[in-house]
Structures are given as C-alpha cells and as structure tokens.
Amino acid sequence: MGFTEKQEGLVKESWEVLKQDIPHFSLRFFSLILEIAPGAKNMFSFLRESEEIPQNNPKLKAHAVKVFKMTCESAIQLREKGEVVVADTTLKYLGTVHVKSGVKDPHFEVVKEALIRTIEEAIGEEKWNEEMKNAWGEAYDQLAEAIKAEMKNHHDETA
Ligand code: ISQ
C-alpha cells in the first residue's frame, strides 16, 4: 500500500509540535542517538568543529532540524509521487558527508529509533500511536534508502 493522505497528515501534524520547541527537541534527538550508540559521538563534525557544549550548539540544532524537515518532506513526496526524490545537489552532498563520516547501515537504524522516540515524547503518550510511528518510520526509511543508494554511488566512484 502506498503512503496515504492520512499518514502524510500525521507526520505534518507532529512536525508542527516539534517546531514549537526546536532547541529542546534537537538536543533530545541528539542525546537519544548517543544514549543508544555512545560510540557515535565522534562522528558528528559539528561537535569537533565547535567549542560550544551540545546544549548551546547552533550547528547541532540546524543539523537536527534538517533531519526532521527532510523526513517530513519525504512523507509529503511519498504521498504525492509515491517515492522520495531529493534534489540532485543535496543528495550528492548527503552521500559524500555520510561516506566521509564513516556512516554504515546500522547507524541509520540508531537515528530512526532516536527520531521516533523524540517525536513520541513531543506528542505525548495520549496522542502517540502505532499509525504515527509507522508513518514517520516509512518516510524515514525511504529517505534513508535514497541516501544509502547515493553513498553506494560515491563508494563506486572512489573505488
Ligand atoms: C545528522 N545525521 C543524522 C542524525 C543527526 C542528528 C543530529 C544532528 C545531525 C545529524
């Protein structure tokens, strides 16, 4: 079954909630990534480049928002076109930075788990449900597949 209007609505609705406190949810998202995979800390260039503590790191916030926003945009595209299409230059960039950072398939699962848990906390137990989880999960998976495919291209080019 394709991505439905209802699923798109669930993702958009919860993104509106996340938007109300970006500094908090960005940090929460990042903290959950490190909680699930403590070893991942050194993979984030914006931490190495900055003296700022993560609580007050504008780059972390900007990056986390990109992940939220792109997943939300993926949900919209999945409903409209049935697939995730990322602008060529953006996708090339994403392929390169992820290969350079040493990202492997399991890392995408860590980020997925952290993303879902962040949204769950933002929405609150009462409104959170399996449908919402699956809608975000599917949008994320398809976006992750697009990035992974591009990473593979990048590897092939440099091999
Ligand atoms: C980049 N890629 C995946 C997850 C991230 C989380 C926080 C900031 C940047 C990220």
Side-chain angles (χ1 to χ4, degrees):
M1 194 186 70
F3 206 79
T4 65
E5 206 164 320
K6 183 165 182 211
Q7 286 179 301
E8 181 193 5
L10 289 169
V11 172
K12 278 183 174 169
E13 192 186 303
S14 31
W15 165 231
E16 290 302 318
V17 178
L18 282 180
K19 265 205 271 191
Q20 285 165 24
D21 196 349
I22 290 291
H24 170 76
F25 293 119
S26 298
L27 184 63
R28 193 67 196 115
F29 175 44
F30 187 67
S31 306
L32 281 165
I33 292 176
L34 295 189
E35 208 177 291
I36 301 167
K41 190 162 188 224
N42 294 328
M43 298 178 80
F44 293 93
S45 60
F46 52 84
L47 287 188
R48 289 196 298 269
E49 288 161 7
S50 167
E51 299 292 306
E52 297 264 21
I53 50 167
Q55 278 81 346
N56 189 27
N57 188 321
K59 282 194 181 166
L60 185 152
K61 205 167 36 178
H63 280 74
V65 168
K66 261 189 222 163
V67 181
F68 297 153
K69 236 187 196 162
M70 283 196 78
T71 310
C72 186
E73 278 162 12
S74 299
I76 297 169
Q77 290 185 358
L78 279 175
R79 210 269 305 159
E80 280 178 358
K81 303 179 198 153
E83 62 176 331
V84 172
V85 182
V86 184
D88 232 24
T89 43
T90 310
L91 192 59
K92 283 222 160 62
Y93 167 75
L94 287 173
T96 310
V97 286
H98 285 99
V99 168
K100 267 195 198 156
S101 309
V103 173
K104 302 280 179 283
D105 284 5
H107 296 120
F108 283 93
E109 287 305 310
V110 171
V111 172
K112 180 181 180 181
E113 174 74 25
L115 177 71
I116 300 273
R117 276 165 62 183
T118 304
I119 301 157
E120 180 176 2
E121 286 181 16
I123 297 302
E125 231 175 89
E126 272 173 34
K127 286 188 83 183
W128 177 250
N129 58 45
E130 205 61 16
E131 257 185 315
M132 213 174 240
K133 179 179 172 175
N134 291 339
W136 274 96
E138 194 170 330
Y140 177 87
D141 283 344
Q142 302 251 4
L143 175 61
E145 285 311 315
I147 299 173
K148 283 184 209 170
E150 183 61 30
M151 287 170 74
K152 205 167 163 288
N153 274 341
H154 183 89
H155 269 306
D156 293 346
E157 275 165 23
T158 53

